[in-house]
Amino acid sequence: MRDDEAESYASVARSEGGRRNLPRADSGAESGAAAVRRLKPEALRLMEAVVERSNMLSAFERVVKNQGAPGVDGLTVSELKPWLQRHWANVKQDLLTGVYQPELVRKVEIPKPQGGVRILGIPTTVDRLIQQALNQVLQPLFDPDFSESSFGFRPGRNAHQAVKTAQGYVAKGKRWVVDLDLEKFFDRVNHDVLMARVACKVEDKRVLKLIRRYLEAGMMEGGVASMRTEGTPQGGPLSPLLSNILLNDLDRELERRGLSFCRYADDCNIYVGSRQAGERVMQAVTTFLERRLKLKVNVSKSAVARPWERKFLGYSMTWHKKPKLKIAQQSRKRLVEKIRKAMRAARGRSLKQTIERLTPVLRGWIAYFRLTEVKGVLEELDGWIRHKLRTLLWRQWKRVYTRARNLMKAGRDKVQAWKSATNGRGPWWNGGASHMNQAFPKSWFDRMGLVSLLEIHQRFQSVS
């Protein structure tokens, strides 16, 4: 789920109520909490808080900022404002009277990095708006009771905090990890179990019915609708909060047992002092999840192992007494594959255009992995990327004459340039050979705008 835009819903509210001086919308959960506080305690009805003006303004801003693909009705984010101007009064009335029926969700399959596919359920843009408004009201109700060891999809918490906390446990001597993988978690959530947890804090039956309807909304694929009796589809703004509500039971059970753990959504690592303790915990937690929450542990992907043999949120650690964070091998491979695809698609483009397309990928990747304390991999990746770009140049030149001419332009003398151009070797060999390295050194790529992962990382370190 992403983020972006504003103001549009203000005009919708103006057209509805005729009042032009609307309050400025708070952001996310803050506006939801404010909407709840503005209702009189004796009339604390959550659906009124959901459709309250500033809460809907904030939800609209969020949905437009996130963009996202249209659902089964084809309504895009850019078309949402005029649609709401015509229909919001009816939608609001249906929500307040408890008769609103969500649309089907659109089924989308995306490949997983480790193989297989992840199934997403894309709600319509209108349902994303309503789910976001619901989320903003419900988050302040549930979040204060969530565990300190839960880091995913919560205000003021992030993956970096989870990774640093895990590193701290290992540094204190918890040098075994119980790495839990929940099998198809979002597809297997039991609706009755989840709704029982939601009902502990939500008394408004209209809100409970609406959440149940979102859980049970059918999925459309190729024009064929299939109904759902379990699972909460990934792709809607409400799913992360619902997953935290359900898995809070797991957090409390681990706390009751005095265990050190970090959980980010359905990714949970428990840190213990020995393999035997880890095996006991694995067995106990597996039984708890199956009996209490009706969830299944994926035995093939879960393990009791050393932390440096596993990855957590893309990171791994070294084996030192004070472990250092490092980029997991799988994360490095994923970046390499992404760059390879970009290079294959770039063969008809100029090198400058290719570098411009690579820049946001590289900046985003190193921004996430800025916690790494093992920098050798960044230096290797920088060198490999330059090698790939030199290879791309060699391929684009194609003819011997073009290669010789471009090498001479880059400062090689005529004899050396012709010798290199006629060596008969392949593009990859030439991309890493001395004549290409000397003709197109790192400083040349710097001038072309290629970012260095190592240098960006060093800048992050200098300001942290």
Side-chain angles (χ1 to χ4, degrees), residues 53 95 133-134 240 257 271 286 296 301 343 387 428 442:
R53 179 175 294 174
L95 289 168
L134 267 172
R257 293 171 177 266
Y271 295 88
T286 299
K296 189 175 181 183
K301 292 184 179 179
M343 295 290 189
H387 189 163
W428 179 251
K442 179 184 179 301

Side-chain angles (χ1 to χ4, degrees), residues 81-305:
K81 174 185 171 182
W83 190 96
L84 288 170
Q85 287 174 326
R86 294 191 302 273
H87 302 291
W88 171 244
N90 292 333
V91 172
K92 179 179 178 181
Q93 183 63 23
D94 286 349
L95 289 168
L96 288 172
T97 55
V99 298
Y100 181 81
Q101 291 287 346
E103 296 281 355
L104 299 170
V105 297
R106 182 166 64 87
K107 183 178 180 180
V108 175
E109 293 183 351
I110 59 171
K112 288 183 178 180
Q114 311 91 325
V117 294
R118 175 177 285 113
I119 296 174
L120 298 185
I122 309 299
T124 64
T125 310
V126 175
D127 281 323
R128 289 210 296 276
L129 173 68
I130 296 168
Q131 284 195 35
Q132 179 61 36
L134 267 172
N135 182 70
Q136 290 170 182
V137 168
L138 295 177
Q139 183 89 38
L141 290 180
F142 286 93
D143 195 81
D145 290 337
F146 288 160
S147 169
E148 286 297 308
S149 297
S150 166
F151 295 90
F153 307 109
R154 297 181 60 193
R157 290 174 162 261
N158 56 49
H160 285 170
Q161 293 169 338
V163 169
K164 293 290 283 182
T165 301
Q167 181 188 26
Y169 290 143
V170 178
K172 289 176 182 174
K174 309 275 186 179
R175 296 175 71 81
W176 288 88
V177 61
V178 180
D179 188 353
L180 286 173
D181 185 278
L182 297 178
E183 190 172 286
K184 295 183 178 178
F185 170 72
F186 284 94
D187 299 332
R188 295 274 171 85
V189 169
N190 183 287
H191 292 173
D192 292 333
V193 172
L194 172 57
M195 290 307 301
R197 273 66 182 168
V198 175
C200 288
K201 284 185 174 289
V202 175
E203 295 180 11
D204 192 324
K205 289 189 168 44
R206 296 165 300 174
V207 172
L208 293 173
K209 283 179 183 176
L210 183 58
I211 294 172
R212 171 74 81 162
R213 285 170 187 159
Y214 275 124
L215 290 173
E216 294 176 348
M219 194 170 277
M220 177 75 77
E221 182 183 23
V224 179
S226 58
M227 295 302 105
R228 276 207 324 273
T229 56
E230 63 178 6
T232 170
Q234 290 176 270
L238 203 52
S239 291
L241 174 60
L242 295 179
S243 70
N244 275 336
I245 291 171
L246 182 64
L247 291 175
N248 194 47
D249 276 26
L250 170 62
D251 298 342
R252 294 309 181 197
E253 176 66 13
L254 297 178
E255 288 174 345
R256 188 183 69 78
R257 293 171 177 266
L259 295 168
S260 302
F261 69 99
C262 298
R263 184 177 65 78
Y264 192 96
D266 59 330
D267 200 344
C268 183
N269 276 9
I270 307 164
Y271 295 88
V272 295
S274 67
R275 174 179 283 279
Q276 292 88 340
E279 299 288 359
R280 286 195 303 271
V281 168
M282 176 69 85
Q283 181 59 50
V285 171
T286 299
T287 301
F288 174 84
L289 287 167
E290 290 177 352
R291 291 182 181 172
R292 182 81 173 268
L293 300 181
K294 312 299 182 190
L295 297 171
K296 189 175 181 183
V297 171
N298 187 329
V299 177
S300 64
K301 292 184 179 179
S302 301
V304 177

Side-chain angles (χ1 to χ4, degrees), residues 40-68:
K40 293 179 182 177
E42 62 268 25
L44 187 58
R45 306 180 72 194
L46 282 185
M47 190 60 81
E48 278 74 11
V50 171
V51 300
E52 199 260 350
R53 179 175 294 174
S54 68
N55 188 53
M56 293 305 301
L57 278 168
S58 180
F60 181 86
E61 292 169 12
R62 191 89 168 179
V63 168
V64 177
K65 186 178 180 183
N66 287 348
Q67 291 297 310

Side-chain angles (χ1 to χ4, degrees), residues 414-435:
K414 188 174 181 179
V415 173
Q416 289 175 321
W418 277 100
K419 185 178 179 183
S420 299
T422 57
N423 63 34
R425 301 274 194 161
W428 179 251
W429 187 90
N430 277 284
S434 59
H435 54 268

